[in-house]
Amino acid sequence: MKNPYEIIKNRRVTEKGRVLENLVNAKSNKSLSRCQSPKMVFDVDMKANKTQIADAIEEIYKDNKVKVVKVNTVIVGSKQRRVKGFLGETAAYKKAVVTLRPGDTIETQG
């Protein structure tokens, strides 16, 4: 197995990612209150598959005894950007939405 820190690059902290994390605490309507499994979003290696991602998350957060239930991956392609008149591209990346077992948590800072 590769180093888990080569597979999982970092946490992706965005507004949409925070909404997914906080769905567990949402009690505003019946459909949102059904979501009992916490979800986290990570930037991952482009060549990593779902089982490698799940194993890496469990290895990195083994102190919290985290169990991964499901992994969904998305490859976000590069976009053209113009900076000071020159055409360039943003980098493509792969992100993974990791669903944890109900009751499991990963400490978040901030």
Side-chain angles (χ1 to χ4, degrees):
M1 184 173 131
K2 285 175 65 175
N3 181 5
Y5 292 99
E6 291 176 10
I7 295 172
I8 307 298
K9 293 181 180 176
N10 59 340
R11 283 267 309 275
R12 177 162 282 275
V13 182
T14 59
E15 188 174 350
K16 189 173 187 177
R18 289 291 189 181
V19 168
L20 285 174
E21 291 173 23
N22 293 323
L23 279 179
V24 176
N25 303 325
K27 303 294 180 211
S28 59
N29 64 32
K30 290 181 182 178
S31 63
L32 290 180
S33 62
R34 284 188 210 134
C35 182
Q36 298 299 317
S37 301
K39 298 178 189 308
M40 302 286 175
V41 182
F42 295 93
D43 284 338
V44 297
D45 185 41
M46 287 289 270
K47 296 180 181 175
N49 61 32
K50 292 181 181 185
T51 55
Q52 290 174 335
I53 293 168
D55 292 342
I57 293 290
E58 290 175 2
E59 177 68 26
I60 291 170
Y61 296 105
K62 65 182 171 188
D63 294 340
N64 297 351
K65 297 182 176 96
V66 171
K67 178 70 177 152
V68 175
V69 175
K70 187 174 169 182
V71 177
N72 295 63
T73 58
V74 178
I75 295 178
V76 180
S78 61
K79 299 177 185 175
Q80 286 192 338
R81 294 284 183 245
R82 189 175 300 275
V83 179
K84 294 185 180 178
F86 294 102
L87 195 62
E89 284 189 344
T90 61
Y93 60 93
K94 185 174 188 176
K95 66 180 178 179
V97 179
V98 178
T99 304
L100 304 176
R101 182 174 50 187
D104 286 354
T105 58
I106 296 174
E107 287 84 29
T108 58
Q109 280 120 14

